[in-house]
Amino acid sequence: MRHLALALLLSGLSLPAAARDITGQVSYRQRIALDPSAELVVEVSGPGGITGESRAASDGRQVPLPFAVSTDDTGAQFLRAAILVGGVAQWVAPPVAVPAGDEALDLGMIALEPFVPLGFASRLRCGETELDLGFAGDMARLRLGGVVHELPLAVSASGARFSDGKDPETMVWTKGNTALVTIAGHELPECRAVALPATLPFIARGNEPGWVLDLTAEGMVLAMQDGDEIRTPLPAAVDGPEGTVLAAEGLTVTLAPRICRDSMTGMPHPQQVTVQAGGAELHGCGGDPATLLAGEWRVTALDGAPLPADAGATLGFDGDGVAGSTGCNRYRAAATLTAEGLTIAPGPLTMMACDPDTMAREQAFIAALTRVTGFDFDDDNGGALVLIAGGDGPVLTAVPAGVPTRP
């Protein structure tokens, strides 16, 4: 069970006045030289999203590399670190806990591991919008919300430009650690590569027959329901037109970066997984469903009814928290994500008074959160996030922040 635990304290909804300095170093065991253009990115996140960030060019230096980042949040948070080259993750660290406090904190040495790209090699932040980017030959894959756009290479004067060739156009134009992105004709603010979470360990499962696949830095393990097991070293990941392929003797795994719904629970996962072993082909889903919720979402419908464009209700899932705005007040909430579903337990919020219509929407929004039992994505609505209440169907619909609602 993944538990997103967050104390719902009214005092926690106001911004602390003092900044907190966090320092440390990053390094890795392998004797591999860093590319001279490498950039170290460090982020600190709390329940409300990113609270601190630092970027430093390596300028030809090798590990260990020092970092210093400031945050204005004195609550419990976590820190991510990654070394990027050309916007693509090369080395990443698992989330590091940052305990609550207002004193300067030295985290010491943080161990980095090689980044294994399983479909996406970069995460971009474009203003309020976050998206994942990967490459396979002359094709770019851009994941935004529940949709993966496959964009062929296009002609450009500089950098690498990929476009669907449609009008209105969806395209990405990468230039080092930055990129320009247009979604269906809507140009996003300049995008910057951020610290991408580690992809390993990776777990996939399938049904009828039941099987579980574990991918770790040490290797691949396929366990079948009847007790049979196959173990291999971890092969190199190769991106191709069908997805990321890991081929070892007696076991080949293909990860397609498309939404996959578990055939028994309906839970969405970020990867469709195909396993070939012993002459059999198995199908299932893989990856952490929480990665599909990450980022900021703008609520567009409540209990099936569209909200006004300026309603202002938002959802922000980040690490171990969910927070946002009701359209009037700020809120934080506790949530539980299991293999079967998602539940959210709202609590106290700020106490601003708004006009009667806005206050009525706020009450309906909070009530909707308490009814949530799961989530999915609406393939007929541009991959919008849908929070579901059991047999009652959708109670909240949301799109990635910064992206216009589809007409």
Side-chain angles (χ1 to χ4, degrees):
M1 176 188 296
R2 179 180 177 124
H3 185 70
L4 306 169
L6 177 63
L8 298 168
L9 299 176
L10 181 61
S11 60
L13 296 171
S14 59
L15 288 175
R20 185 185 192 189
D21 295 327
I22 301 172
T23 57
Q25 299 182 77
V26 300
S27 188
Y28 49 80
R29 299 187 307 271
Q30 294 83 345
R31 298 178 64 84
I32 299 175
L34 274 181
D35 187 287
S37 64
E39 180 184 40
L40 173 61
V41 178
V42 177
E43 296 177 348
V44 180
S45 297
I50 302 295
T51 64
E53 179 188 60
S54 72
R55 292 173 176 269
S58 66
D59 293 328
R61 293 174 296 163
Q62 300 299 310
V63 294
L65 297 176
F67 68 83
V69 59
S70 294
T71 173
D72 59 6
D73 192 331
T74 57
Q77 303 185 82
F78 64 90
L79 177 144
R80 283 199 184 104
I83 293 178
L84 313 178
V85 176
V88 175
Q90 302 292 315
W91 302 89
V92 296
V96 178
V98 176
D102 55 8
E103 296 182 350
L105 176 66
D106 188 347
L107 293 175
M109 188 67 69
I110 296 174
L112 301 173
E113 295 293 337
F115 178 74
V116 179
L118 300 180
F120 299 98
S122 302
R123 174 162 294 173
L124 303 178
R125 184 174 298 121
C126 319
E128 297 178 292
T129 308
E130 287 192 6
L131 47 86
D132 294 326
L133 179 65
F135 302 94
D138 291 339
M139 182 79 68
R141 292 191 180 100
L142 190 69
R143 181 169 67 190
L144 177 63
V147 174
V148 174
H149 302 274
E150 295 192 341
L151 310 174
L153 183 65
V155 176
S156 68
S158 62
R161 186 176 184 275
F162 301 83
S163 170
D164 64 359
K166 297 179 181 179
D167 185 13
E169 180 187 40
T170 294
M171 75 92 187
V172 57
W173 194 343
T174 62
K175 298 182 178 182
N177 288 336
T178 64
L180 301 177
V181 174
T182 298
I183 304 294
H186 176 73
E187 185 175 331
L188 299 179
E190 183 181 63
C191 304
R192 303 186 72 184
V194 299
L196 193 66
T199 55
L200 299 179
F202 177 95
I203 299 175
R205 292 183 172 86
N207 307 305
E208 299 180 353
W211 56 270
V212 177
L213 174 74
D214 284 294
L215 304 181
T216 67
E218 288 71 41
M220 302 193 296
V221 180
L222 174 66
M224 300 298 300
Q225 188 175 15
D226 60 10
D228 288 347
E229 188 174 275
I230 298 176
R231 292 176 174 267
T232 77
L234 184 69
V238 178
D239 286 320
E242 299 303 317
T244 301
V245 179
L246 299 100
E249 184 176 355
L251 180 60
T252 299
V253 177
T254 302
L255 311 176
R258 292 185 287 272
I259 298 294
C260 179
R261 296 169 178 87
D262 186 274
S263 61
M264 293 187 67
T265 67
M267 173 65 73
H269 292 71
Q271 303 273 10
Q272 296 177 2
V273 182
T274 302
V275 177
Q276 294 171 310
E281 185 169 282
L282 308 171
H283 298 275
C285 300
D288 186 353
T291 62
L292 296 173
L293 292 170
E296 298 292 321
W297 301 85
R298 178 172 58 86
V299 180
T300 59
L302 175 59
D303 287 324
L307 290 178
D310 61 352
T314 62
L315 296 160
F317 294 88
D318 192 306
D320 290 337
V322 55
S325 172
T326 66
C328 178
N329 285 288
R330 301 291 301 177
Y331 71 91
R332 292 184 179 179
T336 301
L337 180 63
T338 69
E340 288 74 35
L342 169 72
T343 57
I344 300 175
L349 37 138
T350 54
M351 302 298 291
M352 289 179 58
C354 297
D355 64 82
D357 287 344
T358 301
M359 296 303 292
R361 281 198 300 269
E362 176 176 276
Q363 293 178 6
F365 176 79
I366 295 299
L369 289 180
T370 66
R371 293 158 51 204
V372 170
T373 59
F375 76 97
D376 202 348
F377 294 91
D378 187 348
D379 297 335
D380 297 325
N381 187 23
L385 171 66
V386 179
L387 300 187
I388 302 166
D392 294 338
V395 293
L396 291 170
T397 302
V399 298
V403 177
T405 307
R406 284 185 66 180

